[in-house]
């Protein structure tokens, strides 16, 4: 049964499923027998699996694609047969060719690899049972979080293990450059799409009809990543709406009774690409996907990457969600095969659905003790006594649990052992020396310049930050209120109308860095108040918010949690006001801001290494563009940034502690 509810305020007594380790059986039985076992998944309404060539023919003969082919033919002046051939070539390049023999090969190879890389791969079997039921009832769309290249291989491996229908998976064209491997991925269910289509009407028509044909007929579950790409920071990314629009459209047009969206949370105790991500964020080009690169990566097989938790969430019914929000009767006014731009209410619905699905992914992310330790170490870059780190980790564990964090803390294990085990697993990031814990900085092979030393330190900090970022969704709202309280008054007492204005400003400012559902500012403010009151950090007599005697550690921690983001955005504002040239292009922006930040750090005027992250710099620019403090102007082939220095200075002042101007109060407290 699919759920009607997408998201409700966090319930600390929220019941979540337990986990089973699927590697346990693999360690005690033959991998070859596992790979060659009988595989007979139950399909949607008992449909017969569709062969690849038959699927292509259905797509090419569809009314919608023929309509677009005729349209493109009229616009270009080329014969329809030529455009039809182009469509066929696009489809040939794109389409999957699922073969069970290739799936069995991957099942065998991945069993060997997973047992070497990971201690456990844990799956909530109740979620698997819900998914099995959902697949039989309505077309299913699998929406996993995306933190690693491992994600889509892991998903297919789990579904094969539980004898569920294997998904067809949207993958980037990058993988096509991998000789042999790219074709093997195609034969295990991947279909390849360009990163952007531009204005290519024919490509979009082929792609959308291919996906909708699979969905309408229920040939296989469809899998894609709402975030569009891997998150290099391990924070959830702003969802991309293109594919979600495509899979929901058949419901709007009455071509299917319902569509089940299944949010899936994949949590890695240790991320395979952790140092690679940090270097990418610091401007080192991403390595091109290649078979030789994959072979060179074999050295990771000698490392321990801890555990993976995969949580299959409650299937979400699009039909139930859309009730009272989208008027589907308007779709009857036009022939179904004629492509139409989504209506405003439809776009709003899809956008809201995407954000709330990502929130569900976040809520079911399993957090390990290390994410709490990383959060504390990043607020103490000079290092911490091991005893102090242990004590504060226990305190932070209690705070996280009271905020309904999904924390995997070993049962009955002494705290000291939990902390020492986490440090051992992440010994590449932190070490203990003389009873003191500090971040590890890569040892240079020879003499280094100050800039190189700074880069090595930044790699360490950004790698550690990728783990802290995993817990930010738990603390974000109360942390923004804590910053607002710090901004609003130096005393213990603050009136909540002013706090709401400050909270609302931060909410707007950081809505590219975090998943903040559009229109939820008031609800998020109320949640922040509720959580801080619940944990005794503040009291709310009448229309005031007052810090309690025991609230200082909590509010101080929360202020420290958001400090890197506040400083990062301030550095961007300072650069745009003080250093940016008149003709600054969008392409020059990130290297220029990074260079400016490096100078500040080397001069001793800045200690925040996270400012060097390209992700933070992009999100800061996106916020300034959204708030009309910066504009983009296209000149020739380049995009130039036009800075409103007065507006940017004003934003910089607020980030530095000045209260924003009053605006109409919407809170219902």
């Amino acid at each position: 049964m699919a759920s009607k509810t997408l998201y409700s305020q966090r319930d600390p007594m929220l019941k979540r499923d337990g986990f089973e380790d699927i590697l346990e059986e693999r360690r005690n039985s033959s991998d070859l027998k596992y790979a060659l076992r009988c595989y007979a998944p139950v399909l949607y309404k008992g449909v017969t699996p569709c062969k690849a060539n038959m699927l292509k023919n259905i797509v090419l003969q569809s009314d919608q694609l023929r309509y677009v082919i005729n349209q493109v033919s009229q616009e270009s002046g080329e014969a329809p047969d030529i455009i039809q051939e182009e469509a066929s070539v696009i489809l040939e390049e794109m389409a999957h060719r699922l073969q069970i023999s290739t799936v069995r090969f991957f099942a065998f190879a991945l069993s060997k690899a997973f047992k070497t890389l990971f201690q456990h791969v844990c799956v909530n079997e109740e979620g698997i049972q819900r998914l099995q039921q959902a697949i039989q009832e309505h077309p299913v769309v699998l929406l996993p979080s995306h933190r690693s290249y491992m994600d889509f291989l892991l998903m297919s491996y789990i579904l094969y293990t539980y004898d569920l229908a294997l998904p067809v998976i949207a993958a980037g064209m990058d993988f096509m450059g991998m000789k042999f491997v790219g074709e093997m991925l195609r034969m295990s269910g991947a279909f390849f799409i360009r990163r952007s289509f531009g204005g290519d009407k024919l490509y979009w028509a082929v792609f959308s009809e291919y996906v909708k044909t699979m969905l309408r007929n229920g040939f296989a579950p469809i899998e894609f990543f709402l975030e569009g790409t891997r998150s290099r920071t391990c924070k959830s990314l702003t969802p991309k709406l293109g594919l979600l629009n495509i899979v929901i459209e058949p419901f709007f047009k009455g071509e299917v009774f319902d569509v089940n969206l299944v949010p899936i949370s994949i949590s890695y105790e240790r991320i395979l690409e952790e140092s690679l991500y940090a270097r990418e964020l610091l401007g080192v080009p991403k390595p091109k996907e290649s078979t030789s690169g994959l072979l060179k990566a074999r050295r990771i097989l000698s490392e321990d990457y801890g555990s993976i938790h995969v949580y299959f969430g409650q299937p979400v019914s699009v039909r139930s969600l859309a009730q009272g929000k989208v008027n589907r009767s308007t779709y009857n006014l036009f022939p179904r095969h004629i492509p139409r731009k989504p209506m405003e209410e439809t776009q709003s619905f899809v956008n809201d659905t995407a954000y709330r699905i990502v929130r569900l992914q976040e809520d079911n992310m399993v957090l390990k003790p290390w994410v709490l330790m990383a959060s504390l170490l990043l607020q103490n870059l000079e290092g911490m006594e091991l005893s102090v780190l242990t004590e504060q980790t226990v305190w932070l564990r209690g705070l996280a649990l009271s905020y309904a964090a999904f924390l995997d803390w070993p049962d009955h294990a002494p705290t000291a052992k939990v902390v020492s085990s986490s440090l051992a697993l992440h010994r590449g990031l932190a070490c203990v020396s003389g009873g003191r814990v500090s971040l590890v900085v890569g040892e240079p092979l020879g003499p280094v310049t100050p800039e190189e030393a700074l880069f090595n330190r930044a790699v360490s900090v950004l790698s550690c930050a990728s783990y802290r970022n995993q817990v930010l969704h738990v603390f974000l709202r109360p942390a923004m209120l804590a910053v607002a309280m710090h901004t609003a008054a130096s005393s213990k007492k603050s009136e909540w109308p002013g706090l709401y204005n400050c909270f609302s400003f931060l909410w707007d400012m950081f809505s590219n860095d975090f998943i903040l559902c559009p229109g939820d500012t008031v609800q998020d403010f109320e949640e922040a108040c509720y959580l801080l009151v619940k944990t005794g950090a503040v009291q709310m007599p009448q229309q005031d918010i007052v810090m309690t005697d025991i609230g200082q550690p909590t509010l101080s921690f929360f202020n420290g949690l958001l400090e890197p983001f506040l400083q990062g955005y301030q550095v961007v504002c300072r650069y745009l006001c003080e250093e940016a040239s008149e003709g600054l292009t969008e392409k020059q922006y990130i290297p220029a801001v990074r260079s400016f930040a490096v100078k500040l750090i080397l001069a001793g005027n800045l200690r925040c290494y996270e400012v060097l992250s390209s992700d933070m710099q992009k999100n800061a620019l996106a916020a300034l563009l959204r708030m009309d403090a910066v504009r983009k102007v296209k000149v020739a082939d380049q995009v130039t940034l036009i800075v409103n220095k007065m507006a940017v200075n004003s934003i910089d002042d607020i980030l530095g502690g000045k209260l924003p101007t009053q605006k109409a109060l919407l809170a219902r407290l």
Side-chain angles (χ1 to χ4, degrees):
M1 180 70 71
S3 170
K4 295 182 182 181
T5 307
L6 263 185
Y7 179 76
S8 58
Q9 197 172 71
R10 277 196 192 90
D11 178 2
M13 302 305 291
L14 183 68
K15 183 184 180 299
R16 294 183 176 106
D17 303 337
F19 288 93
E20 293 293 330
D21 179 12
I22 63 174
L23 288 189
E24 187 175 344
E25 185 180 343
R26 297 276 46 75
R27 297 188 197 282
N28 298 310
S29 60
S30 164
D31 291 330
L32 187 59
K33 281 186 179 178
Y34 161 75
L36 296 178
R37 68 189 177 84
C38 176
Y39 172 68
V42 177
L43 299 176
Y44 168 58
K45 294 185 177 178
V47 300
T48 305
C50 182
K51 294 188 180 298
N53 286 336
M54 186 187 298
L55 176 60
K56 290 177 194 172
N57 287 335
I58 294 172
V59 173
L60 290 171
Q61 291 169 17
S62 69
D63 290 339
Q64 180 163 329
L65 187 55
R66 284 183 172 182
Y67 177 86
V68 173
I69 286 171
N70 288 329
Q71 206 176 38
V72 172
S73 172
Q74 290 172 11
E75 291 171 1
S76 65
E78 294 193 8
D81 288 351
I82 294 174
I83 307 299
Q84 175 86 13
E85 185 58 34
E86 284 180 33
S88 182
V89 170
I90 291 170
L91 190 56
E92 188 65 30
E93 176 190 66
M94 180 186 300
H96 77 83
R97 289 196 294 272
L98 185 63
Q99 294 183 9
I100 191 63
S101 57
T102 306
V103 171
R104 294 187 187 282
F105 169 79
F106 270 119
F108 177 79
L110 289 174
S111 289
K112 298 294 185 189
F114 287 165
K115 287 187 291 186
T116 303
L117 288 168
F118 304 109
Q119 298 170 16
H120 310 282
V121 173
C122 302
V123 179
N124 66 321
E125 292 195 336
E126 289 178 55
I128 291 290
Q129 291 166 12
R130 291 191 295 262
L131 175 59
Q132 188 173 39
Q133 182 66 30
I135 286 173
Q136 296 175 58
E137 294 174 347
H138 304 292
V140 163
V141 179
L142 303 175
L143 300 170
S145 57
H146 200 17
R147 303 290 180 272
S148 171
Y149 275 140
M150 191 68 72
D151 293 334
F152 65 88
L153 294 172
L154 181 64
M155 283 290 300
S156 294
Y157 181 82
I158 291 170
L159 296 183
Y160 179 79
T161 297
Y162 284 102
D163 215 28
L164 291 176
L166 291 174
V168 288
I169 309 153
M173 291 295 292
D174 324 32
F175 293 100
M176 287 296 293
M178 302 174 71
K179 290 180 182 177
F180 308 118
V181 174
E183 279 307 306
M184 289 189 70
L185 292 174
R186 189 193 294 277
M187 290 188 287
S188 63
F191 65 94
F192 298 99
I193 56 175
R194 298 173 189 168
R195 290 292 179 188
S196 67
F197 305 164
D200 194 332
K201 188 184 293 186
L202 182 63
Y203 191 93
W204 175 260
V206 172
F207 165 60
S208 61
E209 190 58 27
Y210 180 68
V211 173
K212 285 186 282 190
T213 298
M214 290 188 288
L215 184 118
R216 281 192 297 256
N217 294 283
F219 292 140
I222 293 169
E223 177 187 325
F224 62 90
F225 302 107
L226 258 181
E227 297 163 281
T229 186
R230 290 173 297 155
S231 171
R232 270 69 173 172
T233 61
C234 288
K235 290 189 284 96
S236 295
L237 304 178
T238 302
K240 306 293 187 291
L241 305 182
L243 256 169
L244 191 61
N245 261 312
I246 288 172
V247 297
I248 288 179
E249 187 181 285
F251 165 73
F252 288 145
K253 289 186 173 181
E255 296 170 327
V256 295
F257 182 79
D258 199 358
V259 176
N260 282 328
L261 308 177
V262 183
I264 301 164
S265 308
I266 306 176
S267 312
Y268 295 88
E269 186 170 10
R270 186 179 165 207
I271 304 154
L272 274 74
E273 301 99 326
E274 75 183 16
S275 63
L276 183 68
Y277 285 168
R279 286 174 165 79
E280 281 187 44
L281 292 171
L282 291 168
V284 177
K286 170 188 154 188
K288 187 179 179 183
E289 287 81 359
S290 66
T291 305
S292 61
L294 182 65
L295 294 173
K296 288 175 186 174
R298 284 179 301 172
R299 65 179 182 275
I300 68 171
L301 292 172
S302 62
E303 296 277 337
D304 180 3
Y305 288 88
S307 301
I308 303 177
H309 286 78
V310 183
Y311 193 97
F312 288 79
Q314 183 80 30
V316 175
S317 160
V318 171
R319 186 179 189 87
S320 297
L321 283 182
Q323 196 167 4
K325 295 179 182 174
V326 178
N327 180 11
R328 293 199 298 157
S329 64
T330 57
Y331 285 85
N332 296 329
L333 302 176
F334 302 90
R336 287 177 179 171
H337 68 274
I338 298 179
R340 292 178 59 224
K341 187 177 179 181
M343 295 175 295
E344 192 173 329
E345 70 169 7
T346 304
Q347 276 294 89
S348 177
F349 170 78
V350 172
N351 188 55
D352 187 59
T353 300
Y355 270 87
R356 294 179 191 280
I357 289 286
V358 178
R359 284 295 309 274
L360 288 174
Q361 289 176 349
E362 287 183 332
D363 283 349
N364 289 324
M365 286 287 188
V366 174
L367 306 175
K368 302 293 281 188
W370 173 247
V371 305
L372 305 180
M373 296 163 63
S375 302
L376 294 164
L377 286 169
L378 285 170
Q379 295 190 30
N380 297 272
L381 289 178
E382 69 285 353
M384 300 175 71
E385 293 295 326
L386 178 58
S387 59
V388 175
L389 176 62
T390 303
E391 179 186 329
Q392 290 196 9
T393 301
V394 172
W395 167 79
L396 193 52
R397 171 181 179 253
L399 188 65
L401 289 174
S402 68
Y403 286 4
F406 200 174
L407 194 60
D408 180 39
W409 190 280
D411 293 331
H412 314 301
T415 304
K417 185 176 180 181
V418 173
V419 170
S420 64
S421 297
S422 295
L423 287 169
L425 184 68
H426 297 278
R427 59 188 176 276
L429 291 182
C431 64
V432 183
S433 178
R436 196 167 178 82
V437 184
S438 55
L439 297 186
V440 171
V441 179
E443 290 293 326
L445 298 176
V448 294
T449 64
E451 288 81 5
E452 290 170 332
L454 186 154
F455 177 87
N456 290 335
R457 179 68 164 164
V459 168
S460 176
V461 170
L462 290 180
S463 297
C464 194
S466 69
Y467 292 96
R468 176 214 58 205
N469 289 345
Q470 295 176 33
V471 79
L472 283 177
H473 69 275
V474 175
F475 295 136
L476 175 63
R477 287 149 189 84
M480 288 195 295
L481 182 53
V483 171
M485 288 181 68
H486 183 72
T487 299
S490 57
S491 66
K492 292 185 178 181
K493 187 173 179 180
S494 301
E495 291 186 356
W496 66 271
L499 285 176
Y500 175 77
N501 285 324
C502 193
F503 179 93
S504 180
F505 168 82
L506 293 170
W507 194 99
D508 288 341
M509 197 77 206
F510 291 144
S511 60
N512 288 90
D513 252 306
F514 307 111
I515 298 300
L516 296 163
C517 298
D520 277 5
T521 314
V522 174
Q523 180 182 322
D524 287 344
F525 179 72
E526 291 174 342
E527 182 183 323
C529 293
Y530 166 76
L531 292 173
L532 286 179
V533 169
K534 176 178 176 288
T535 48
V538 302
Q539 293 175 336
M540 293 180 62
Q542 297 176 352
Q543 294 232 330
D544 295 335
I545 298 180
V546 183
M547 184 178 74
T548 63
D549 293 337
I550 61 169
Q552 179 59 37
T554 301
L555 297 181
S556 177
F557 170 76
F558 284 156
N559 273 284
L561 200 63
L562 292 187
E563 185 62 25
F565 299 92
L566 292 166
Q567 285 197 27
Y569 281 47
Q570 282 184 280
V571 167
V572 168
C573 289
R574 281 188 57 188
Y575 169 76
L576 292 174
C577 288
E578 298 173 13
E579 300 281 329
S581 61
E582 283 293 323
L584 177 69
T585 65
E586 191 174 24
K587 192 174 181 180
Q588 294 167 337
Y589 163 76
I590 286 178
V593 172
R594 185 179 291 124
S595 177
F596 179 66
V598 165
K599 289 176 186 175
L600 291 176
I601 294 172
L602 291 177
N605 296 324
L606 180 67
R607 295 192 61 217
C608 179
Y609 292 88
E610 292 182 59
V611 175
L612 301 171
S613 164
S614 58
D615 182 75
M616 185 177 288
Q617 293 156 5
K618 287 174 186 173
N619 289 334
L621 178 60
L624 294 171
L625 287 164
R626 193 178 59 255
M627 299 169 95
D628 295 324
V630 177
R631 289 186 300 114
K632 286 183 181 180
V633 176
K634 192 163 185 179
V635 179
D637 293 330
Q638 291 188 321
V639 176
T640 301
L641 301 177
I642 308 298
V643 181
N644 180 338
K645 294 192 176 182
M646 185 178 294
V648 172
N649 265 319
S650 176
I651 290 169
D652 186 22
D653 287 344
I654 298 169
L655 291 168
K658 183 179 177 182
L659 275 174
T661 55
Q662 294 287 316
K663 66 179 183 180
L665 186 64
L666 302 175
R668 303 182 300 269
L669 295 174

